[in-house]
Amino acid sequence: MSHGQHYSERFCHQRLPEKPVGMESQHKHLLELLRRTAVHGESNSVLIVGPRGSGKTMLLNCVLRELLEVKDVNKNVLPVHLNGLLQTDDRIALKEITRQLNLENVVGDKVFGSFAENLAFLLEALKKGDRSSSRPVLFILDEFDLFAHHKNQTLLYNLLDVSQSAQAPVAVIGLTCRLDVLELLEKRVKSRFSHRQIHLLSSLSFIQYLDNVRSQLSLPQDFPDTKFYDEWNDSIKVRHFSSYPQLVDVLQRHYNSSKDFRSLHLLLMLALSRVSASKPAIKPTDLLEASRVCMVDSKANILHGLSILELCLIIAMKHLNDIYEGEPFNFQMVHNEFKKFLQRKSHSIHNFDKPVVMKAFEHLQQLELIKSMDSSTAKIQKEYQLMKLLLDHSQIMEALQKYPQCPTDVKQWAMSAFG
Amino acid sequence: MVRYFTRLRVRRIYKWGGRPYIFDRKLKSYGFEYLNMSVEGQEAVTTVTPGQYILIEGNDDEYPFVAKLLKFFGDESHKQKKALVQWFLRLSEVPQNKKLLLGRSPHPQEIFYYLGRACDNEINAESILGTVHVQHVPEDTPFPEPGTKDTLYVKLSWDTKAFNVLDPVLMQDTPASTPPKPALPLFPPCASPTATPVSRGPVRRALPTPDPTVMRRAGSVSDTRATMSAGKRSTLEAESIHSASKLSASKILSAKRRGSAADTPGVRKKLQLSIGASPGKKMTRADVLCELLDEEMESEKVISLKLSSSVSHSLQHGCSLSPMRSVCKTPNGQRRFPWKLSSISLDRLSPTALGEQDFSSDLLLAVIPLALEDEVFEAGLPTDAGSANTPKKRQATPRRNYVRGQKATTPSRRKESAMAIREPALGVLAEEDSEDSPMQPIALTPRSKRKSAQLVSLRIRKQLNLLDNTQELISDGDDDCFVPSKKDLQSSSDEEKTVSEEETRGRNCKTSVRTPHKTPSKKALQSSTDEEKSEEETVVRKTRGRNGKTSARTPCKTPSKKVTPSTPRHATPSIPSRTVPARQPGNILDEARARLHVSSVPESLPCREQEFQDIYNFVESKVMDGTGGCMYISGVPGTGKTATIHEVIRCLQHASDMDEIPTFRFIEINGMKMTDPHQAYVQILQKLTDQKVTADHAAALLEKRFSNPAPKKETTVLLVDELDLLWTRKQNVMYNLFDWPTRRHARLVVLTIANTMDLPERIMINRVASRLGLTRMSFQPYSFKQLQQIITSRLNKVKAFEEDALQLVSRKVAALSGDARRCLDICRRATEICEHSASHPSSTGLVRMSHVMEALDEMFSSSYITAIGCASLQEQLFLRAVIAEFRRLGLEEATFQQVFVQHRALSRVEGLQPISVSEGLAVCQRLGACRLLLLEASRLDMLQRVRLNVSQDDVLYALKAVRD
């Protein structure tokens, strides 16, 4: 396995780390909980709450991996994975549960019966089981908050009700990034939930963050090519980092922006993709470049690709925004503003026909740089539809600076206080 | 020989005296001035007039019930003789646990004025044994020296709760009560066959507590305590049952007498009528019959043989009653011959049937069909006494002949059986058995047999009319003549037969125990007109027949359903079983945790005694009455609503297993456990009959089921959990659920559960709310003491918690929600925390305050502040920018664009590199995903509005904590 494969697995395929970092207590709590369900048949319910990219799924998968390594447990647990984004209503979710449990009304991949029958069937199945003899079922509900939006919360009620009654042992594990998820639950659903919440809120310091970056970049010990392993790991030693204050600045900036691992993985992936056979080591410049790509403002980039006419319209809109303090404008106003500019200041730009300007205006709308304020577009003539600019002044100015061969009069017009 | 037997048994003849006056025009009841009682074969006549104190036969022959006679009345036809009484209690009738309230040793002859209302004050006049002298003794004077044994003293009154000084006014209107005449011996107070089962007139209905079933139960179980399942009943309840038993005792006695043929009051009535028509008749019926027999024996044989062939089936039943009857009730060693005329007349009709010596115990079967047909017939045909014809009359006689031949064996046998069963309770049991046992054969009886039974009953009827006409033949003594023959039947049957044997037999067919017996007798008397009666009885008969069939079939039906799942539709729902059994809890904390799990079913439900009692009483009374009703139960989640009802049902199931109440069916549906309100029909039907149909069809089937005379006799108890989810626009589901119980034959008890107290008012339209009725109950959230008690009772001496820790949990939960589930979950979590920290050598292994505190923190503390604390720098900055912008605008809402301007300014102040708009939006989205911010849809981009989901103070507090 080349190091490229190794890293792509680590950063893109979310391979599980050996040990989850910075969440030992949560790991222990969850493992204990699931172990009790698996071994003692104790029903439980738990929510894992944490911001996006904080490692909820990773933690759960680590725990499950560890749990399934136990011999007794391995054959005795039925994990059911559901995702709120995939199972968008209870009907689909029920079919999916039945399919994954492989109950008797499943033939091949098909689940027989209507919604009501499926529900009755599943509930009956769970009811028949008991604590000591039936296999524990682990219901893993990713995007738990979305399940709370299902009609009547039927699925959640039933799963949690099973977990609170003497039926087949189940563990309901919800993963969500919403801190207020409990407020979504109906009171009778809420009452049945055990109110165990595992919060994954990383309080990583910057030093730990740097360590983390290093450990993420280093190759594992069992890497076959030892020579390359030594060279590689040496190249990312501390002194390399500290000798490049720019690098530390970039990482600091990332750290300030977000502490989560997913954005870090993205950054490192971009940096690593610059490594090639001819350039076998990762350089600080690679990271800087990757960081620049990460931090880039997408809207400003779009501005760079606009025509002069479109840019002029944007500037006209900017002035209208200034004059009317963010009130919406229509094409006619923008066109007037543009004409004023042409009459008074323009030397380089010729007059455009109104349809051409209109076309440019529509192009801007398609790029979603401007947005119509009225919902019913059909009634009003295009020229008089109220629009709003979705750009910040700074973005416009920045784009003008970088715009290749921007006429000076246009620049000056943009800079001037009022039209 | 006949003489001998009739001598031994005391027959009392009751006759109205004086001129009847209309007492109640509506009910067509007549009052009477006095009642003449005479012992058959003796001249002496005792006259009982209202105002006198009387003795009424009860379970205890040594101490009959005492009451003061208030009024005599009867119905139009003078068939029923009833009396209104004021009860007096003996101390032995006061519940055991209340006896101490007396505070002194009672006088042996002391009785108490009964002030409770639980006792039906209407009795059957024919249960009167005689008069007694009652003397009122003022409170402070001592009891007189032991005078005559027949004088009773009353000093105090008893109102089911306490003994009070008796107001002398109550006793004032005592006319000179005559001491009991020696001519009318109290003992042995043999049950007179004429003493009809107490007919409960409409008046009874107005009385609240002692419904017939209560009576029956009370009577059937001598110790009232035994009827209380799990000892949960309050003493009040016990009291009411107790007092009910008093009233019922006399009824039960007569019930015993009538045995399986109990439902043929009509036959009896005819005879009474005839008695009334022949006053002063000295000759007993027996004598007459015997004479007749001798004369006509020869000529009758041919006819009777013919007859018997068609009748034999039912006749067997009639005859077979005897063993059980005889076992029935003989506390003082005296025999009681509770004979029913109906059966006797049957006997008379069937010489051949009786001639068969080998009537053994296995023939002790259904009498009820016969009895019923009998009654139906009786009701259907108004007295056509005129049509007397001789051949029919003669049919009766041959048997007499036979009977005589058999009598020699009886006396010894009789004693034997009398010795065998002393205990009244056992006797009652046997009595029940005899009622029960018929049910099995019914199940098997095809229609044709019933027809034959009908034929028989027709003949019987004619026979009876004939008897009425030929007055010499009729007197009550007649019955006695037949008794020995039955005795013989028994003796010819297996001698080894014991009560327990009968008991088991009764158990076998206990599914259909009381109801058949109860319904007709009650209903029949409700309506005074014959037409109505017959109509109702036919209905009942149908029910009974069909029911017998179903009950016979059920056991085999259920398993067959579960075999052979050929298609996936019939797949068995089950979770695969595990290869290694679940591990049992190891240490004390594990044990505690298992006990504290919400799912573990506790031995008892503490803190809901009152609610339990109320629901129990409600359901029990409905089940026993065979009526229907609704109850609405509300309460916030986790207050034990469903658990309490399950407990109630468990107790009731237990009670019905113990034969204390009729069997019933419990069905549970949950609004949350169905996909659509209309699925409720499907689920109910499936649970009732195991058939799967569509919702519409199910609704139609259920409608039919509940509006027609039910094929099932048993009551259905339906628990509807999460009622509010059964709401539909037209509310037809709820309407039906509440409408069915009001149907006459539905026998449906609906218990509904929802969270809000005012649900009926809020979501139900009037006609639905009205049907739900006003039987409501609300479960209050648990108080901290109750929560503590719940945990303690669950832990059940598993010492895992410190007392203070428990109190903290319960106080905290009680203050917040009063949700028992929450409380248990916290305790469970605390045990886990304790286990984790148990590695410290200092820990005692008990869950301490600190552990509980930690668990509480985990569950109750808001995570927002921690989340803000752990957010990245830019996120924190953005939050500050949001607050800054809010302050600037004076609004709690701003667009991202506005906030972003603030954000950039702030980052400049902080000396941070300003971020791009894209990054800023990403930060904003992250905060929105956590719901620290509330955002509009992201397609609005920079124009999306931002609001805080946390209070500004919290944000500032959290941010300040971070900086420090």
Side-chain angles (χ1 to χ4, degrees), chain A residues 329-331 372 374 377 380-387:
Chain A
F329 47 84
N330 59 24
F331 169 72
S372 166
D374 324 294
T377 47
I380 308 163
Q381 270 185 297
K382 277 180 192 167
E383 293 88 339
Y384 302 104
Q385 269 180 20
L386 290 175
M387 296 292 193

Side-chain angles (χ1 to χ4, degrees), chain A residues 31-60:
Chain A
L31 182 63
E32 268 302 303
L33 198 73
L34 296 190
R35 204 182 50 74
R36 276 207 308 278
T37 303
V39 176
H40 293 284
E42 179 188 309
S43 292
N44 275 310
S45 50
V46 68
L47 273 180
I48 306 175
V49 187
R52 294 223 179 274
S54 58
K56 303 181 288 293
T57 312
M58 187 266 291
L59 171 70
L60 179 65

Side-chain angles (χ1 to χ4, degrees), chain A residues 266-284:
Chain A
L266 181 65
L267 176 76
L268 297 179
M269 194 62 216
L270 286 170
L272 281 174
S273 60
R274 303 174 70 82
V275 176
S276 63
S278 58
K279 189 173 82 72
I282 188 165
K283 296 273 184 298

Side-chain angles (χ1 to χ4, degrees), chain B residues 846-867:
Chain B
L846 281 188
V847 180
R848 276 167 314 165
M849 283 290 262
S850 58
H851 303 132
V852 170
M853 289 287 273
E854 201 178 328
L856 284 171
D857 270 358
E858 244 176 57
M859 298 212 172
F860 286 111
S861 73
S862 151
S863 48
Y864 288 109
I865 296 187
T866 344

Side-chain angles (χ1 to χ4, degrees), chain A residues 152-165:
Chain A
N152 288 343
Q153 304 186 344
T154 307
L155 182 74
L156 290 185
Y157 177 91
N158 285 309
L159 291 184
L160 292 173
D161 193 53
V162 171
S163 84
Q164 298 255 317
S165 49

